[in-house]
Amino acid sequence: MTQHLPPSLTPLETALAALLRGVDPVAPVEVPCAEAIGCIAAGTPLLAAYPSRDIAAADGWALSANDLVGASSYSPLPLTGVPVWVEAGDAMPAGSDCVLDADAVEVSGPLAQVLAEGVPGQGVRRAGSDIANGTPAGAEGHPVGAADLLMARVTGLEKLGVRRPRLHIVNVPGATATMHMVAGLTRAAGLDVETRQARARDEASIADVLDASSCDLLLMIGGSGVGRQDAAITALARRGAVLAHGLALQPGRTAAVGRLGQVPVVALPGSPDHALAAWLALVLPLADRLSARRPRRRVTLPLARKVASDVGIAEIALLAGEHRAWMPLAVGEWPLQAIARADAWLLIPASHEGSAAGTPVDAHLLRE
């Protein structure tokens, strides 16, 4: 049986509301630091102060600044013994509070003299100066970044608490390139991704791999259109429920949303531009809900030229940042080269005809 779109396309906001209904954030889990990058921080531990004590910030001689008042190359200060030499990262010896460069102290056998004054804290990294005691290991609701991992590792943490929704991607033959793109995007969004391959494009073959028993979200890639070999939506109806098929969204008109039990399902078209648009409009908000992510940052800039849109269809425009303005690259239909150049995207509601040149718009960044 050939799939058909309904006579009336479902508004994007209606489909998104149906997809998000009843969806709660997943429980936090602890993962090794190496796996936490990009995941959304949740219930992260508090870090101990770092460094835990004063350490040398440079190689040199450890001394007390109060003992060096008046020392200079014209008036060397003799010492009763050779001071302690420290390497960067070494704990500061008791009674010392500064590190002088190698040529600031002359040593001749057991005798030493200082040729320069010192300032308390010179060449020293104070206890807690890098990380204050009780600092969270990552900002709750925000992606774990490289700096967060650095702080965790230097304080000895091996695991971090994150929310990492489990995603299953079902690839329908013929959409492999799109599947790899979507898998990369979802991994970058902090999801735990597992891909599965349908044996063929027929309804039974696709239905056989629609298993949501061990995931929080399921994506189907390809087979959502009305071609003679498209059967993803009938397969979803066979195993679960189709909430909406055929969206008032361009690109992405043949996308669908549904359920397998309580697990939300999004069927993305096999075409890369249509899949990416539906991913931005449907999957990204769902992933953010599952991971309890804070609202994503938008950047407001004026449009470099007019953006026109058809009333009744929500359209997504790809934008590039040029000369402190958003330059529209593509609206409705996206060449792959426009996808490659784009820095941001703008959702134009179905009720709007677009925006004139010079109008400030809030665009979502494609890469944060």
Side-chain angles (χ1 to χ4, degrees), residues 18 59 131 148 270 280 283:
D59 305 334
I131 303 173
D148 299 315
L280 293 170
V283 181

Side-chain angles (χ1 to χ4, degrees), residues 134-175:
T135 299
E140 186 85 13
H142 292 276
V144 175
D148 299 315
L149 294 183
L150 172 64
M151 293 200 301
R153 285 173 171 139
V154 298
T155 56
L157 283 183
E158 296 181 355
K159 293 184 177 182
L160 289 177
V162 299
R163 284 190 171 91
R164 186 168 65 168
R166 301 164 300 168
L167 167 68
H168 285 179
I169 297 178
V170 171
N171 184 46
V172 175

Side-chain angles (χ1 to χ4, degrees), residues 87-165:
E87 306 282 346
D90 288 348
M92 290 294 292
S96 60
D97 61 5
C98 66
V99 176
L100 299 189
D101 293 339
D103 56 6
V105 177
E106 287 185 348
V107 178
S108 178
L111 303 178
Q113 57 183 4
V114 182
L115 309 179
E117 292 184 322
V119 178
Q122 175 182 334
V124 176
R125 197 177 295 274
R126 296 294 193 186
S129 60
D130 278 327
I131 303 173
N133 189 50
T135 299
E140 186 85 13
H142 292 276
V144 175
D148 299 315
L149 294 183
L150 172 64
M151 293 200 301
R153 285 173 171 139
V154 298
T155 56
L157 283 183
E158 296 181 355
K159 293 184 177 182
L160 289 177
V162 299
R163 284 190 171 91
R164 186 168 65 168

Side-chain angles (χ1 to χ4, degrees), residues 8-109:
S8 178
L9 298 176
T10 301
L12 173 62
E13 58 270 21
T14 301
L16 181 58
L19 184 65
L20 295 176
R21 189 173 296 119
V23 174
D24 295 317
V26 300
V29 295
E30 283 196 341
V31 299
C33 286
E35 299 178 17
I37 190 76
C39 295
I40 305 304
T44 52
L46 301 181
L47 301 175
Y50 182 84
S52 58
R53 56 177 297 181
D54 292 355
I55 62 172
D59 305 334
W61 301 102
L63 292 157
S64 171
N66 286 339
D67 296 337
L68 309 179
V69 176
S72 71
S73 58
Y74 298 103
S75 179
L77 175 68
L79 300 176
T80 57
V82 177
V84 176
W85 175 267
V86 292
E87 306 282 346
D90 288 348
M92 290 294 292
S96 60
D97 61 5
C98 66
V99 176
L100 299 189
D101 293 339
D103 56 6
V105 177
E106 287 185 348
V107 178
S108 178

Side-chain angles (χ1 to χ4, degrees), residues 241-263:
V242 178
L243 302 178
H245 177 218
L247 309 183
L249 173 68
Q250 189 64 19
R253 184 171 64 100
T254 64
V257 298
R259 284 282 196 279
L260 281 177
Q262 298 301 312
V263 174

